[in-house]
C-alpha cells in the first residue's frame, strides 16, 4: 500500500494531472520548506512568549549574549548578527530597554553612535531561556536521526551559501 501524499504531494499531483508538460518537482522542496518554516516559527515562538518576548526580542538578547563580555554591540552590529531587519532593531531595543533587559549609551569614540548592552537582568533572562529554546529545537528535530540532522544541516548550509544567505 502506497503512503498517503502530504499537502505538497497532493498539489504536485494536481499539477502533473492538469499540466503534464511542466515538472512540479521543485515544489517538493520549496513548498515543504515553506510549510515547515511556518510550523517551526509557531513552535519556536511559544518558548519566547512564555518569557514575554517576541522571536526578534530573543534574537537581539541572544546576539548581545553571544558577543561576550561586556555583552554590547552597536545597533548596526546587532542588525548584522541577528535575523531582525535593521529597521526593527530600534523598536526592539526600545522595548527591551523599557523592560530593563538592555541599556543604551553613547559610544566613547563616536558620539553619533550608541552601544547597546545587556543588563544583569537581561543576562539572567537569556541564560535561562537559551537551554529551553535548545530543548524545544531538539524536540522539533526528534523525528530525525543524528545522521539525517547532520546531512540536512549540511545540505541547507550549502544551499544557503549558493543563494548568498
Amino acid at each position: 500500500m502506497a503512503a498517503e501524499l502530504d499537502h505538497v504531494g497532493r498539489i504536485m499531483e494536481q499539477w502533473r494531472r492538469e499540466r503534464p508538460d511542466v515538472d512540479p518537482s521543485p515544489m517538493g522542496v520549496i513548498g515543504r520548506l515553506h510549510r515547515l518554516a511556518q510550523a517551526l516559527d509557531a513552535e519556536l515562538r511559544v518558548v519566547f512568549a512564555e518569557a514575554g518576548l517576541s522571536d526578534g526580542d530573543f534574537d537581539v538578547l541572544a546576539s548581545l549574549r553571544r558577543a561576550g563580555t561586556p555583552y554590547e554591540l552597536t545597533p548596526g552590529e546587532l542588525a548584522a548578527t541577528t535575523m531582525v531587519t535593521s529597521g526593527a532593531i530600534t523598536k526592539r531595543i526600545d522595548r527591551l530597554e523599557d523592560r530593563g533587559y538592555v541599556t543604551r549609551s553613547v559610544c566613547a569614540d563616536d558620539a553619533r553612535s550608541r552601544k547597546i548592552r545587556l543588563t544583569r537582568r537581561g543576562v539572567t533572562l537569556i541564560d535561562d531561556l537559551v537551554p529551553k529554546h535548545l530543548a524545544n529545537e531538539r524536540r522539533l528535530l526528534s523525528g530525525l536521526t543524528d545522521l539525517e540532522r547532520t546531512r540536512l544541516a549540511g545540505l541547507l548550509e550549502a544551499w544557503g551559501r549558493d543563494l548568498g544567505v
Side-chain angles (χ1 to χ4, degrees):
M1 181 172 165
E4 186 177 328
L5 294 175
D6 68 351
H7 180 80
V8 174
R10 288 189 298 276
I11 291 171
M12 291 168 55
E13 282 301 309
Q14 291 167 340
W15 280 119
R16 285 186 187 104
R17 181 188 69 236
E18 296 300 318
R19 290 291 311 269
D21 58 313
V22 298
D23 173 18
S25 63
M27 290 178 184
V29 175
I30 304 293
R32 287 183 178 104
L33 277 175
H34 183 72
R35 289 177 59 83
L36 280 168
Q38 290 174 332
L40 290 172
D41 280 345
E43 292 285 337
L44 293 173
R45 285 185 178 135
V46 171
V47 172
F48 310 141
E50 287 173 358
L53 300 174
S54 70
D55 52 340
D57 296 337
F58 172 83
D59 200 10
V60 168
L61 294 173
S63 292
L64 287 165
R65 180 63 175 89
R66 289 191 318 264
T69 304
Y71 311 125
E72 69 179 20
L73 296 168
T74 66
E77 291 167 334
L78 274 170
T81 62
T82 64
M83 295 169 61
V84 178
T85 63
S86 58
I89 289 290
T90 300
K91 179 174 66 172
R92 297 199 189 289
I93 292 168
D94 289 345
R95 185 169 46 242
L96 293 168
E97 186 176 34
D98 288 345
R99 296 183 65 195
Y101 298 134
V102 301
T103 59
R104 190 181 337 221
S105 61
V106 175
C107 288
D109 56 341
D110 181 0
R112 295 170 297 163
S113 188
R114 301 287 179 261
K115 285 281 188 180
I116 311 307
R117 180 182 288 195
L118 272 179
T119 62
R120 179 166 287 163
R121 183 173 180 208
V123 172
T124 299
L125 175 68
I126 197 65
D127 280 354
D128 179 58
L129 205 49
V130 167
K132 294 174 184 176
H133 171 60
L134 291 172
N136 192 31
E137 286 187 331
R138 259 185 223 90
R139 177 187 64 82
L140 293 168
L141 291 168
S142 65
L144 302 175
T145 67
D146 288 344
L147 181 58
E148 288 169 334
R149 286 192 300 271
T150 299
R151 286 181 176 165
L152 180 57
L155 289 169
L156 292 172
E157 179 183 6
W159 189 16
R161 286 180 193 277
D162 187 54
L163 294 177
V165 295

